[in-house]
Amino acid sequence: MIAKTTGTLAIFASFALIGSAPAQDLGAQVRKLVDGVYVHTGKGYESNSGIILTQDGVVVIDTGQNPIESRAVMAAVKKLTSMPVRLVIDTEPHGDHTTGHFVFSPPALVVAAAGGGESMRGADRAAPDRIQRLAATTPEMKAALEGYRFITPHIEYQNKMTLNVGERTLELIYMKGVHSESDTAVWLPKERVVFSASAYVVNQINILRPFVTIPDILAAGKMMKALNPEHVVPGHGTPGTVKIFDDGEKYYALLVERVGAMVKAGKSLDDIKKELKMPEYASFGSQDRMPTNIDAAYKVVTAR
């Protein structure tokens, strides 16, 4: 692993430029955002991946929910270009974004925010049989895991990093306390596309771990909205616009307001978890995560 602070990394190909492959049907999961920038959307609430074509190769952002999806991302890359994948950027270290690294690396280098590798190693130690259990789920999954290797980031940065790959500029921005131990927003300033990691998800209740705070989530949303992106690709859910941040801000404001009112009425945290209703979001997925959201809102209210 190479640790880097705020800095710039230039990636140059050592081979002649190869033209794009003939246009082909990319399937229902692949959506073009701007010329050369695509998103492979996860099924349901599964994770999204980015595909960025450059004159010096391909950049992939997150490698899919699982190895079946990782191989689908690679298949889309091969339909788009004969150039190799040069870089993989992790927006977070969790397995639903990183298990498929082996499909791309080598030759790709994996880049993440500081702490990404340690998070992955910790999860691997905690569940040493995870890959065997995953392979046992379906014959298709077992086949997709053929050749699996555990691959952690080769390069970790702190705070910010600028990547210059071919004609593209990618700005990596660390986001503290928004989802995982190592969250990265990926901003393409020329193309006005931001991959916002799982700080915000769409039509789903996010899991807020004990180290995640609502003020940090809101600060990250404000930061990304200030970039004035035309396209926002969340870690999970349908890509859209800055409305994703606006909707998230409204949700957390209402949650904190309702938790605050219940605290003022003398309700305990356990009472609030049993009684709080958010009917406006009843259709959202992952309702079982709501207690973690109430915990985070309770911390905001009681810290005032």
Side-chain angles (χ1 to χ4, degrees), residues 69-121:
E69 292 297 281
S70 304
R71 293 189 184 278
V73 173
M74 178 60 93
V77 169
K78 289 181 177 179
K79 287 180 179 179
L80 288 165
T81 180
S82 53
M83 299 284 273
V85 177
R86 304 283 291 173
L87 285 178
V88 166
I89 300 172
D90 291 343
T91 68
E92 63 165 272
H94 296 159
D96 58 338
H97 295 250
T98 61
T99 300
H101 284 6
F102 73 99
V103 175
F104 304 88
S105 178
L109 291 175
V110 180
V111 182
E118 183 52 39
S119 174
M120 290 177 67
R121 287 186 287 271

Side-chain angles (χ1 to χ4, degrees), residues 178 206-212 214 217 252 255 289 292-293 296:
V178 300
N206 211 344
I207 185 168
L208 304 189
R209 296 171 176 83
F211 55 83
V212 172
I214 290 174
I217 294 171
Y252 288 116
L255 177 67
R289 297 172 171 180
T292 71
N293 286 228

Side-chain angles (χ1 to χ4, degrees), residues 80-243:
L80 288 165
T81 180
S82 53
M83 299 284 273
V85 177
R86 304 283 291 173
L87 285 178
V88 166
I89 300 172
D90 291 343
T91 68
E92 63 165 272
H94 296 159
D96 58 338
H97 295 250
T98 61
T99 300
H101 284 6
F102 73 99
V103 175
F104 304 88
S105 178
L109 291 175
V110 180
V111 182
E118 183 52 39
S119 174
M120 290 177 67
R121 287 186 287 271
D124 194 58
R125 289 191 295 267
D129 64 339
R130 181 177 72 91
I131 297 303
Q132 289 86 345
R133 288 188 286 109
L134 184 61
T137 56
T138 65
E140 184 185 14
M141 190 68 75
K142 183 178 180 181
L145 278 161
E146 185 70 29
Y148 171 79
R149 297 176 306 281
F150 179 61
I151 296 179
T152 56
H154 302 99
I155 299 170
E156 295 192 359
Y157 75 94
Q158 295 180 13
N159 301 320
K160 292 183 179 181
M161 172 177 271
T162 299
L163 302 176
N164 295 313
V165 190
E167 74 282 24
R168 309 273 187 194
T169 297
L170 298 87
E171 297 178 4
L172 278 52
I173 307 166
Y174 168 66
M175 296 182 291
K176 170 183 172 289
V178 300
H179 179 73
S180 76
E181 305 85 350
S182 172
D183 291 301
T184 291
V186 182
W187 169 233
L188 283 70
K190 296 175 187 174
E191 296 81 5
R192 311 216 66 76
V193 176
V194 65
F195 291 81
S196 63
S198 297
Y200 291 77
V201 293
V202 177
N203 295 333
Q204 183 183 23
I205 304 298
N206 211 344
I207 185 168
L208 304 189
R209 296 171 176 83
F211 55 83
V212 172
T213 76
I214 290 174
D216 282 337
I217 294 171
L218 296 176
K222 183 178 180 180
M223 177 274 293
M224 289 186 283
K225 188 176 178 180
L227 298 172
N228 193 29
E230 293 181 5
H231 299 277
V232 176
V233 182
H236 298 259
T238 305
T241 67
V242 293
K243 186 177 182 294

